[in-house]
């Protein structure tokens, strides 16, 4: 599978978008510019290959429904930023890492292995007039029949929501 | 299965399972090159489906998470992820 190398301009453009999105939503990109650009390039390559911007540091299946959890930003970002100072790839980092006060720790894979990845049926708790839906990326909760087209907090698409209660 | 062989000092059979888009994989590969050891690597994301299945079974045998990079040393020891210190300690 040969994929054209992303151009400098494409990398610049996506880097700028991610930088703006991150800073306006309380996230930080890695202070290591070279790392950010290598990862942005990987995201562009994956978008071309698979049709969705999956994590460059994980193996995609090519089936979007099986890879929703690793579409960047992945479902595991926030927990890894808290635990290790960076997401699995180190594209997103904590404030402490951004400012140079802390270093990134090696980040073990938090995503369940493929055999254990069978879809978990959403647990349904009772007592509410509407389902409570949760954005798996940023944790945003809303009570409505269907998720919003895009998460109003972090902007990911509606497929990234799960039933929470 | 097409492994790419990188020449260097023979320190046993070093196999690096990697992804072509993965920064940690790339850093691991560069580290091995800088240590001047002989190793072979394979990019799982560039394989055909049947080859990929085979490689994933191999990787999962050493690393149940099936994550990359996975460095297997002499078919028994394994270093998962870009663990610079550990790799230097074992091969430096």
């Amino acid at each position: 599978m040969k994929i054209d190398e992303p151009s400098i301009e494409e990398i610049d453009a996506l880097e700028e978008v991610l930088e703006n999105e991150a800073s306006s939503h309380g996230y930080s990109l890695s202070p290591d510019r070279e790392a950010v650009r290598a990862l942005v390039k990987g995201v562009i390559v994956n978008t071309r290959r698979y049709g969705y911007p999956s994590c460059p540091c994980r193996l995609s299946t090519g089936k979007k429904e099986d890879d929703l959890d690793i579409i960047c930003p992945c479902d595991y970002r926030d927990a890894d930023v808290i635990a290790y100072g960076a997401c699995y790839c180190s594209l997103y980092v904590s404030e402490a890492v951004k400012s140079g006060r802390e270093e990134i720790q090696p980040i073990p894979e938090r995503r369940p292995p493929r055999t254990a990845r069978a879809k978990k049926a959403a647990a349904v708790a009772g007592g509410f007039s509407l389902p409570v839906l949760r954005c798996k990326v940023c944790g945003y909760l809303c009570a409505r029949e269907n998720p919003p087209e895009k998460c109003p907090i972090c902007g990911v698409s509606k497929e990234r929501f799960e039933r929470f209660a | 299965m097409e492994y790419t062989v990188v020449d260097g000092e023979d320190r046993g059979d070093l196999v690096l399972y990697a992804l072509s888009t993965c920064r940690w994989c790339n850093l691991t590969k560069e580290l091995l090159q800088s240590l001047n050891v002989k190793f072979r690597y394979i990019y799982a994301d560039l394989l055909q489906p049947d080859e990929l299945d085979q490689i994933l079974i191999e990787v999962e045998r050493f690393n149940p998470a099936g994550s990359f990079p996975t460095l297997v040393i002499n078919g028994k020891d394994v270093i998962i992820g870009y663990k610079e210190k550990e790799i230097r300690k074992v091969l430096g």
Side-chain angles (χ1 to χ4, degrees):
Chain A
M1 198 173 358
K2 259 288 172 224
I3 301 281
D4 289 339
E5 281 274 296
S7 66
I8 302 286
E9 292 74 25
E10 281 174 289
I11 297 171
D12 285 344
L14 184 56
E15 186 186 8
E16 195 183 335
V17 168
L18 294 181
E19 186 68 64
N20 289 339
E21 277 179 7
S23 59
S24 61
H25 290 103
Y27 289 95
S28 306
L29 295 191
S30 170
D32 181 343
R33 186 90 200 284
E34 206 182 310
V36 169
R37 293 184 66 80
L39 293 164
V40 165
K41 184 176 168 186
V43 169
I44 297 171
V45 168
N46 279 354
T47 306
R48 288 193 189 157
R49 265 189 207 161
Y50 307 114
Y52 48 89
S54 50
C55 177
C57 302
R58 293 178 167 112
L59 184 66
S60 298
T61 61
K63 276 192 265 170
K64 190 178 177 185
E65 64 271 27
D66 293 338
D67 288 341
L68 283 171
D69 61 326
I70 56 164
I71 289 179
C72 184
C74 68
D75 291 4
Y76 313 103
R77 172 184 62 176
D78 289 10
D80 282 335
V81 168
I82 290 169
Y84 305 104
C87 73
Y88 186 64
C89 282
S90 82
L91 178 59
Y92 291 93
V93 300
S94 66
E95 277 289 321
V97 167
K98 177 87 177 178
S99 63
R101 295 195 307 276
E102 280 176 21
E103 290 202 354
I104 296 171
Q105 303 299 312
I107 307 148
E109 175 59 298
R110 184 182 292 275
R111 186 188 201 204
R114 58 181 178 144
T115 45
R117 234 179 278 142
K119 291 204 177 66
K120 280 188 281 171
V124 180
F128 298 114
S129 61
L130 285 169
V132 178
L133 306 175
R134 174 182 175 271
C135 172
K136 292 205 273 188
V137 174
C138 74
Y140 164 73
L141 296 177
C142 55
R144 48 191 277 177
E145 288 295 347
N146 294 298
E149 280 297 314
K150 283 185 170 186
C151 174
I153 303 301
C154 73
V156 298
S157 65
K158 62 183 176 191
E159 303 116 296
R160 310 295 295 277
F161 279 72
E162 65 176 352
R163 174 116 183 214
F164 186 70
Chain B
M1 207 76 69
E2 286 264 339
Y3 287 86
T4 305
V5 176
V6 178
D7 240 347
E9 193 191 330
D10 192 347
R11 302 286 297 272
D13 186 28
L14 307 180
V15 186
L16 178 66
Y17 299 94
L19 301 175
S20 67
T21 52
C22 165
R23 176 170 170 260
W24 300 125
C25 300
N26 201 25
L27 289 174
T28 306
K29 194 174 131 206
E30 284 172 5
L31 176 60
L32 292 176
Q33 279 167 326
S34 76
L35 291 172
N36 196 29
V37 291
K38 183 179 176 182
F39 67 101
R40 55 198 172 105
Y41 69 90
I42 194 157
Y43 285 138
D45 58 320
L46 302 182
L47 296 175
Q48 296 302 318
D50 53 329
E51 288 182 325
L52 175 61
D53 276 347
Q54 211 179 312
I55 281 293
L56 284 180
I57 289 166
E58 260 179 66
V59 172
E60 284 165 353
R61 201 165 69 220
F62 296 102
N63 168 14
S67 60
F68 301 89
T70 293
L71 175 64
V72 176
I73 303 163
N74 290 324
K76 55 181 173 61
D77 297 322
V78 62
I79 298 176
I80 297 163
Y82 177 62
K83 301 222 177 78
E84 186 182 349
K85 281 185 202 147
E86 206 176 318
I87 295 171
R88 283 186 187 280
K89 202 169 130 197
V90 174
L91 300 170

